[in-house]
Each structure stands twice: as structure tokens, then as C-alpha cells.
Amino acid sequence: MAMVLDAQLQQAALFKKVAESMKDLCKEVNFDCSEKGMQVQSMDSSHVALVSLNFREAAFAEFKCDRPVSLGMNVDSLTKILKMTGPSDTLKIRHKGDTDVVNFQCEGSDDRISEFDLKLFQIENEHMEIPEQHYKVVAKLPSSEFQKICRDLKEFGETLHLTGDKDGLKFVVSGDIGSGNVLLKPRETEKPEEKVSLTVHEPVTAAFALRYLVNFSKASPLCGSVTLGFAPDAPLLVQYDLETEDKGHMKFYLAPKIDE
Amino acid sequence: MLMMPPKLTIAKVFSEMKAIAHSAGKESQKAKKEKIQKLLVASRGEEAKFIVRMLQAKLRIGIQIPTLLQALAYAFTLTKPGKSCGPAAVTDRRHGQAKLSAAELEPQMIGMEAAVKQAFSEMPNFDKLVAALMEGRDGSSLLQVCSISVGVPVKPMLAKPSKGIAEVGERLSGKRFTGEWKYDGERAQIHVLSKDVIQIYSRNSENMTEKYPDVIEVVKQSLAEDVQSCIIDSELVAFDQVNRKILPFQVLTTRGRKNITVEDIKVNVCLFAFDCMLVNGQPLVKEPLELRREKLWSILSPAEGKVTFAVYRNFNEINEEEIQAFLDESIAGSCEGLMLKTLTENATYEPSKRSLNWLKLKKDYLEGMADSIDVVPIGAYYGKGKRSGAYGAYLLAIYDQENEEFQTVCKAGTGFSDEDLTTHYSFFKNHQRPCAETNYNVNDKLKPDVWLEPCQVWEIRAADLSISPVHTSAFGVKADGKGIGLRFPRFLRIRDDKTPEESTGSEQIVEMFEAQASVSGTAAVDDDF
């Protein structure tokens, strides 16, 4: 039987990070494969957040996809399989036509080869057109810093009020024990990933559920910096490149909290 | 919300509901929550209401299963499904060329309804029933595919309550019948699929196999060599292996429900088998009880204290004295009373029917057997469903002279006629109290929706008395930290001639408790409660 998908990643770790960053939001997702690469679009069960992965063909050492195919996988199972891989192992992802499994094979420098056939699911495809957004505020900051802010502030309240204006990017939270905020000012640094940059077309304040932001920020290992984009009454964009821009990106969208 | 999910379809809701029902194991709770959340998020308008009602298994649309069965029967009589390589579908036999008159259709519809109902009682599975109907099966051939089978629990046959021996006499006169002891335990339908696969189902067709690994083991050992499959109807009763005594129902309820291993079992049970609906693939439901019992005795060999048959005595004609004597024996043997069943005539097993061919004669149905008790309503709970808008249940108490307080004995919800409920509500709505009186001794778990002024005395009758962890009457007298409660209270009348302080006292409750056959002589057991 002909191989429909035959892809090889130089480093299994990248795929592992991708799976890890999705698993708290979605249980089962479709990996839509085409000659351009792999794509995932999935919403969480309450339809508040959207995950959109674009894994470009350029990210792979080899990538062959004869015809478009959707591979429905359980994300939890996928992360379990990828746990078998070492940080510098290579990973092969293969799928034969008319079978209901996808094969993962990882090979370490020590000549050890592990292989796993994961059963595929039929998952309803809810492909969504994401309308082009015109963000009023676009900020780029170190991903580890974003993760720390989200985790720290989650201790105090459920809702984050995010403000972007000429002073900088302000994260405000209030809860039972009091209220607090973190202000990030744009800064230039030697290392590009430690830079904070901010573009404000007009000042914006919007509210978001911190619980989701903490989940999004688990994608930090993917890339040193993260891009946030927001506008009044519009979804928040949280974007991580897959190491570098040309390999693709992981985008999270989150509906704003209203009536508060 | 970021984006509205696609509209729900019947097929999707069905498959999600099925997935919820089947999810088990680690984190299944979370998985179920997520599925429910997904359904609710995708629902529009009134859909959410019905999804929640479905999950509660209370649709409340005024249609019950009998209506549905009738509708199916009529639909498949008036229209006929087409076959892929046979006659085309008949859309409506009341019109068109081959039309039938109402007079011709009527008997067909009635016949079909009976067939569908019978098929469903033996094979309570709409999936299979509708599939059989779609094949074009009707009254004559439906039962061939929808008959009782191992692995599919049927609703057990139920008995009609009777008020006394005189009434029993009327109903059974001229028929051969049998009396069986009525054990106070849990009804269990045992399905032997093979010697290694044995399942136990509750009265409500829930799978209890996990709960009774000990019973599975016992059944396996007691089955006769030549039995490959069978279905046995029985009662599981808590049993004291040392003193060879039946224990009260409450003891049985202290058993765990899940992940039970044979080694950890503290409450032993004994299986009392009394009927058999299928042996080696052969349905016996249409056979008379006498034959079914013979079969039952041939496939199971009793083991003392573990599995045995219900004690019975056959009667060729009504003899009130003999029945009374047998009833007294059963009560002395810690049973609830007797089951009286026809033996040969009209003696088939009728799943899910409360048949007149089975009568139960319980000690508390008999007048003069249990003393009535005078109690005071001190709290009420709002009614649900058709009882909403009035109180659906009352918290009842007795008065303890010594401690000068009202102590609870039971919560009474059933045992009221609709008329009673209306009368009580219109009386008590003017006697509410903002909080409990200082002399109310009520466990927090029983906190009623409304507190009532102690101003009326009710005469009630109950099935029996039992040690209760929540009720406060005679607290600590019979068991440390526990009181005595009443089971199955029934309202008799309002006692205008008594004041609340003259209601039954706690010492009387203790006396009645001690006088019960089911606990007399089991003082040693009491300590283990």
C-alpha cells in the first residue's frame, strides 16, 4: 500500500512541544496533512478558545504527502508516545492509505529505534475561517516572561485586564485578597528574544480568562518570544513561532470576557 | 464564545449520550463533564433544557414507554417499511388503492400493540425492537427475534400488594397456588452467559456484577454440570453465617458498591432463588411456575448460607388458617411476609408487569400487626414535578418526655394521596416557622425547606423500625450515635384528639423496635451496626 504521508523531523522534540502545548485545550484533533505541511484547528469544549497550528513543510527534513489526508488523533495518547523520544532523536511520521493507524518511529544517535502505531479517530471536521483581525495593539515579549506573569497573576483572580497604551503593556488582576498589576515597558536588549516591543494604534483594554492564558503559555518551550495581538471586543491572539518563523506557528485565540 | 459550534443533530446527541453512559475508569468524570459541556455549548434555545432533562432521565414530556410502544405498533401497522429487494414501502394503508377500512385495521393495530409490548418486555432494547420491525416482522414473527435472552436484563415481574388474607382468598380462590417467603433484600436477576461469564442485574436493570463478586463465585459453584446458560430471579439477603440468620435490609445497604474484592467483604449475602426464566437458551417465560420451579431446582444445588431456594408451600385451595400460619412462620424467619403465586393456571412469567397472579402479603399491610405511631410534622420539603407548588414530603418527629424535645423518626413523601397533600399544605402553609424551634432535635442532613410549628398529630403506620444514622429518636439507646427510624411510613389520619406532646414517646419506639421479629434475639448483631 502506498505511503500517503512520509515525514521526517530532525528533532522529535519540536513535535513533542507542539503536542504538549495543545493537550490541555483539546482532547482529540485532526492533523490535516497536505503538501504544504500539517495543520490543526480545534476549539476547546466550551468554544471559548481556538488552537491553530501551522506546521510548515519547511520544518521537516523530509516531507512527502501524496494527497490531502486528515489524521484524527487523541492528543493525550500522542504526548504519551512522544515521551518515548529523546531530545535529539529524529522522528518519522508515516501513514499508509486505507489504514487506521499513524506510525511514529524515532531514532536516537545510539542506534535505538522505537516505533509506535497510534490508532486514528474519525473526528468531525469543524474547519473554521479565522477572519483577518486588525489588532489595535501588538506586543512581542519573551515567552518565559509571559508565562510567569500569567502564572503569578492567576493566584489572585480569574480575569486578566490587559491594557496596551503609550506607557506599555499592563496586566491587571483583582480578586478577594486585593488587586495588582504588572507593567512591561518596551525595551531593547542584546538578545533579540529578551526584547519587548509594542505597537499601539490606539489604546485598548480588554478582559480575558487567566485560566486559558496559563494553558496557552505552556507553549513557551516552542519559541523564545510570543506575540500578543488584541483589539476592543475581539479575540486575543497569542502566537508562538515553531522555533523560527519559516517553520510555522502555533496560534491561540481567546474570546474576550464580556459584561464585567 | 469565539465561534458558535455546528448545530446539534439527533444522531450526534445520541452518540454523545451513549459515550457518556459508557465512559468508565480513570478521569471518566472529567470526560463526561467535557462531553456534557460540549453538548450544552452547542445547544440552541430550548435544546439545553432537554439535554439536561435527558441526563436526569426525566424528560417530562408526558410520554412514557407504553405510549411509545403503542405509537411504534400503530406506525408499523398503518405503514410498512419497504425492502431493498422486495415490495416497496407502503406509506399509509388508510388511503390509496389497497386501503383498509378502520374496522379491518383496528384488530391489526391492537394485535400489533400486544406483540410489540410483549417483545419489549422480553427484549427491552429499542435498537433491536425497531430493527426487527423494520425487517417487516409483525405479531407472529416479532417474538422470534425479540425474546428473553441472556445478557439483556428484563424488568422483573412484580406483585400486587394485598390488604389481608381475606382479599387474597378472593383473588386466588379455585386456583392452585403457592406461597413463598418474601425475603427483605435486593432483587437480583442472575444471567449466566456461560460458566465463566455471570452477570447480576438489579430490579432496575442496573449491572450489579461488580458489587457481588462473592455471589458470582457461589453461583458458579452451585450450577449443575449441564447448564450452559440461564436466567434466575432471586433475592439477595444479608446473612449471618455464624448464627445462620437472615439480617435486616439495612445491613445489606452497608456493602460497598464498586471495586469489591471477595476478601474484603464484611457483609455476607445469601441468594434465595425463586424463579427461572431461561435455561440453556430455552425461554421459560411462557411455562407455568410449577415447571419453572422444577427447572430451577434442577439447575442449582443449594449451599448452606450462600445459595438456596425460597421457602415455599403449595396450596390446592384457599385455607386462611394455613396461610396465616405460613405467614407467621415467614415473619419468625425474618421475612417481610409472603408472596402468593398461581402455580399452573395463568402462571407465566410476565416481565415488568405488576400482575394479579402474584400477590404480596406483607406484615405491615395486615391490620393489627404493627402498631400505628403518632407523630408530629415539624418540617416540610417542597415538592418536585407534579407535586411542585405544595409540600412533597414532611419531616416527622415524636416527642421525648424526658428530654422535652421533638426527635425525628422519618421523612414521609410517599404514602399520601393527592388530596392529603393539598389538605396538609393548606393547613401548614399558615403554620410555618422561620427557624427550627429550640426543642427540635434534627440532624443537619435532614434540614427541611420549611420549618413547621408543632401543632398537629398524625397517625401513621410503617413497615418496620430500623437503626438510623440520621434520625434522633431514642438516640444512642440501641446504637451509639444513632437513633431509630421508621421505614415506609404511610399516613393514616390526623389525630385531633392529641396534642403534639402526647405523640408517641421514645420509650415506645424502643419497645416496638425490640418487639420486631427481625431483630429479636440478635442483640449481638446490634453492636456491629
Side-chain angles (χ1 to χ4, degrees):
Chain A
M1 182 56 65
M3 205 63 83
V4 174
L5 175 74
D6 194 346
Q8 188 180 338
L9 265 179
Q10 204 50 53
Q11 290 194 322
L14 182 60
F15 201 61
K16 192 168 164 180
K17 288 173 193 167
V18 164
E20 290 282 345
S21 58
M22 290 193 293
K23 85 169 180 181
D24 287 320
L25 288 160
C26 349
K27 283 195 92 64
E28 283 162 0
V29 298
N30 269 329
F31 281 85
D32 298 320
C33 306
S34 68
E35 79 264 339
K36 288 181 185 156
M38 285 184 184
Q39 283 195 316
V40 170
Q41 266 197 17
S42 177
M43 299 201 76
D44 78 304
S45 57
S46 46
H47 275 242
V48 172
L50 172 82
V51 180
S52 170
L53 167 75
N54 188 359
F55 213 141
R56 290 209 181 98
E57 168 264 333
F60 295 85
E62 278 169 44
F63 193 89
K64 248 174 63 196
C65 184
D66 293 348
R67 58 177 165 86
V69 61
S70 276
L71 307 176
M73 300 185 213
N74 179 302
V75 186
D76 260 335
S77 316
L78 182 62
T79 54
K80 278 178 198 155
I81 293 167
L82 295 171
K83 277 210 178 103
M84 304 200 305
T85 63
S88 55
D89 292 4
T90 59
L91 179 71
K92 280 183 185 156
I93 307 166
R94 286 177 298 195
H95 172 68
K96 278 186 201 165
D98 299 326
T99 63
D100 61 351
V101 291
V102 59
N103 174 276
F104 293 94
Q105 191 192 75
C106 73
E107 194 171 344
S109 47
D110 51 359
D111 287 335
R112 180 178 46 95
I113 300 176
S114 17
E115 212 170 330
F116 198 95
D117 279 341
L118 174 67
K119 279 191 205 137
L120 295 175
F121 285 86
Q122 282 297 331
I123 301 166
E124 225 183 306
N125 221 341
E126 351 173 23
H127 202 86
M128 292 140 285
E129 277 306 314
I130 303 163
E132 189 64 29
Q133 298 286 345
H134 300 285
Y135 297 107
K136 300 294 180 207
V137 176
V138 177
K140 195 165 180 181
L141 61 152
S143 56
S144 55
E145 202 160 343
F146 177 62
Q147 185 168 30
K148 182 165 162 36
I149 291 170
C150 292
R151 281 186 178 166
D152 289 349
L153 296 184
K154 187 175 173 275
E155 299 296 316
F156 307 116
E158 290 175 358
T159 309
L160 175 79
H161 291 269
L162 195 58
T163 304
D165 55 23
K166 61 181 184 341
D167 294 334
L169 187 62
K170 200 170 181 181
F171 302 80
V172 184
V173 70
S174 61
D176 293 340
I177 59 162
S179 59
N181 70 76
V182 176
L183 176 68
L184 271 190
K185 289 183 179 170
R187 65 181 182 227
E188 286 297 332
T189 52
E190 274 176 31
K191 289 185 187 165
E193 65 263 23
E194 283 176 17
K195 197 171 104 169
V196 175
S197 65
L198 183 68
T199 316
V200 179
H201 298 293
E202 69 182 59
V204 179
T205 297
F208 302 99
L210 263 171
R211 188 162 62 91
Y212 283 96
L213 295 179
V214 170
N215 276 340
F216 296 169
S217 69
K218 285 180 184 158
S220 294
L222 282 174
C223 186
S225 61
V226 56
T227 307
L228 308 181
F230 56 106
D233 300 320
L236 168 76
L237 165 74
V238 179
Q239 176 173 349
Y240 296 87
D241 290 332
L242 303 182
E243 293 171 346
T244 54
E245 210 182 327
D246 58 315
K247 290 185 178 173
H249 54 250
M250 182 90 161
K251 282 179 179 174
F252 299 99
Y253 294 89
L254 179 62
K257 278 197 152 187
I258 334 165
D259 81 69
E260 259 185 296
Chain B
M1 207 184 308
L2 210 49
M3 220 170 277
M4 199 62 193
K7 280 189 178 162
L8 292 172
T9 59
I10 289 176
K12 184 162 176 216
V13 173
F14 180 71
S15 72
E16 288 287 306
M17 289 281 172
K18 225 171 153 178
I20 291 170
H22 287 175
S23 56
K26 203 174 133 232
E27 300 209 341
S28 60
Q29 194 77 12
K30 200 175 143 208
K32 284 186 212 174
K33 261 192 205 161
E34 249 166 49
K35 286 200 189 312
I36 294 171
Q37 190 181 33
K38 246 175 128 169
L39 284 175
L40 289 177
V41 166
S43 62
R44 285 155 171 85
E46 282 205 306
E47 288 171 357
K49 181 164 94 188
F50 287 98
I51 287 168
V52 171
R53 286 187 183 180
M54 270 186 235
L55 291 164
Q56 290 178 312
K58 278 188 190 129
L59 217 42
R60 284 170 46 199
I61 48 172
I63 294 175
Q64 301 286 349
I65 285 178
T67 317
L68 206 53
L69 293 173
Q70 191 179 39
L72 276 175
Y74 289 1
F76 280 93
T77 314
L78 295 176
T79 65
K80 296 270 175 199
K83 292 214 179 94
S84 50
C85 53
V90 178
T91 48
D92 191 342
R93 296 207 289 164
R94 287 169 298 185
H95 305 284
Q97 281 191 325
K99 88 174 201 186
L100 295 174
S101 69
E104 287 169 294
L105 278 169
E106 177 96 8
Q108 287 189 23
M109 280 157 72
I110 292 169
M112 188 67 155
E113 190 185 338
V116 167
K117 285 192 170 162
Q118 175 70 26
F120 188 76
S121 72
E122 292 198 29
M123 174 60 74
N125 181 326
F126 278 110
D127 233 9
K128 295 211 168 126
L129 177 66
V130 173
L133 288 168
M134 286 303 285
E135 281 172 21
R137 287 177 189 271
D138 56 17
S140 54
S141 55
L142 195 58
L143 266 176
Q144 286 168 5
V145 286
C146 291
S147 65
I148 190 163
S149 38
V150 283
V152 184
V154 298
K155 289 267 154 63
M157 179 161 170
L158 303 170
K160 276 257 192 292
S162 63
K163 287 203 187 64
I165 294 179
E167 185 192 350
V168 170
E170 274 168 43
R171 293 236 172 108
L172 293 173
S173 75
K175 292 175 186 156
R176 285 190 66 224
F177 66 97
T178 191
E180 277 169 3
W181 285 13
K182 187 179 185 317
Y183 298 88
D184 192 9
E186 191 166 12
R187 188 89 174 250
Q189 201 172 95
I190 298 176
H191 287 238
V192 177
L193 281 74
S194 73
K195 279 257 153 69
D196 299 312
V197 186
I198 299 176
Q199 295 166 348
I200 304 184
Y201 291 94
S202 76
R203 182 194 155 100
N204 296 321
S205 303
E206 281 163 46
N207 195 329
M208 305 194 291
T209 311
E210 242 183 283
K211 193 178 167 188
Y212 292 109
D214 45 340
V215 176
I216 304 281
E217 211 39 53
V218 166
V219 171
K220 204 178 274 183
Q221 286 158 15
S222 315
L223 278 177
E225 276 296 309
D226 59 345
V227 180
Q228 278 92 46
S229 66
C230 64
I231 302 175
I232 294 168
D233 202 352
S234 65
E235 193 84 12
L236 285 169
V237 182
F239 198 82
D240 180 347
Q241 306 279 4
V242 181
N243 298 314
R244 304 257 161 250
K245 265 193 77 71
I246 288 174
L247 299 175
F249 176 70
Q250 289 73 34
V251 180
L252 188 68
T253 58
T254 59
R255 267 179 77 117
R257 295 197 64 89
K258 278 181 173 173
N259 300 326
I260 310 242
T261 54
V262 177
E263 297 79 46
D264 301 339
I265 291 170
K266 293 201 181 66
V267 179
N268 282 300
V269 294
C270 182
L271 180 84
F272 290 87
F274 55 80
D275 215 320
C276 169
M277 293 87 98
L278 179 143
V279 172
N280 289 341
Q282 201 61 45
L284 299 176
V285 286
K286 293 275 168 241
E287 305 295 339
L289 176 59
E290 198 160 32
L291 190 135
R292 293 202 308 273
R293 183 186 277 161
E294 201 179 297
K295 276 275 183 196
L296 174 69
W297 283 62
S298 73
I299 59 169
L300 212 57
S301 52
E304 202 183 354
K306 291 191 183 306
V307 56
T308 187
F309 304 104
V311 174
Y312 75 90
R313 186 183 295 171
N314 290 351
F315 298 88
N316 285 323
E317 55 186 0
I318 286 288
N319 179 327
E320 290 193 13
E321 271 167 42
E322 274 183 39
I323 295 175
Q324 180 68 55
F326 193 46
L327 175 64
D328 292 342
E329 277 171 39
S330 77
I331 290 165
S334 306
C335 283
E336 281 185 298
L338 292 181
M339 296 289 287
L340 298 167
K341 306 170 179 179
T342 47
L343 259 183
T344 41
E345 199 183 316
N346 286 331
T348 57
Y349 193 95
E350 300 169 55
S352 74
K353 274 204 194 118
R354 201 173 273 287
S355 163
L356 276 177
N357 303 329
W358 282 19
L359 295 171
K360 58 183 165 191
L361 195 57
K362 275 168 83 170
K363 58 184 172 193
D364 61 300
Y365 295 143
L366 300 177
E367 279 148 69
M369 285 238 27
D371 271 336
S372 64
I373 295 168
D374 297 324
V375 295
V376 184
I378 59 167
Y381 307 85
Y382 290 118
K384 289 182 188 131
K386 71 170 186 175
R387 282 182 170 183
S388 57
Y391 300 140
Y394 288 85
L395 182 63
L396 306 178
I398 52 144
Y399 189 70
D400 183 303
Q401 301 281 357
E402 205 176 313
N403 295 315
E404 297 185 338
E405 62 178 16
F406 288 96
Q407 304 173 335
T408 64
V409 283
C410 63
K411 206 172 132 176
T414 54
F416 294 106
S417 67
D418 288 352
E419 203 188 335
D420 287 340
L421 279 175
T422 325
T423 323
H424 294 324
Y425 178 67
S426 54
F427 175 79
F428 277 111
K429 71 179 179 205
N430 301 320
H431 292 87
Q432 295 185 7
R433 281 274 174 274
C435 58
E437 300 275 4
T438 48
N439 61 347
Y440 284 2
N441 183 353
V442 178
N443 187 305
D444 282 345
K445 283 182 194 148
L446 287 170
K447 198 175 167 297
D449 298 328
V450 177
W451 292 102
L452 304 175
E453 178 188 344
C455 55
Q456 200 174 59
V457 178
W458 290 358
E459 187 179 346
I460 62 163
R461 178 165 286 154
D464 54 22
L465 299 103
S466 63
I467 297 287
S468 158
V470 289
H471 291 295
T472 50
S473 79
F475 196 75
V477 178
K478 282 286 142 192
D480 272 349
K482 288 173 184 173
I484 295 176
L486 303 179
R487 289 178 67 208
F488 308 124
R490 268 181 310 137
F491 172 78
L492 296 179
R493 62 191 179 103
I494 295 169
R495 291 287 301 254
D496 284 324
D497 54 332
K498 277 195 167 185
T499 67
E501 285 75 21
E502 287 174 87
S503 64
T504 302
S506 65
E507 62 278 58
Q508 281 166 276
I509 295 284
V510 174
E511 272 172 37
M512 286 180 189
F513 182 77
E514 282 169 348
Q516 269 181 182
S518 60
V519 288
S520 60
T522 56
V525 178
D526 284 356
D527 298 336
D528 296 340
F529 269 86

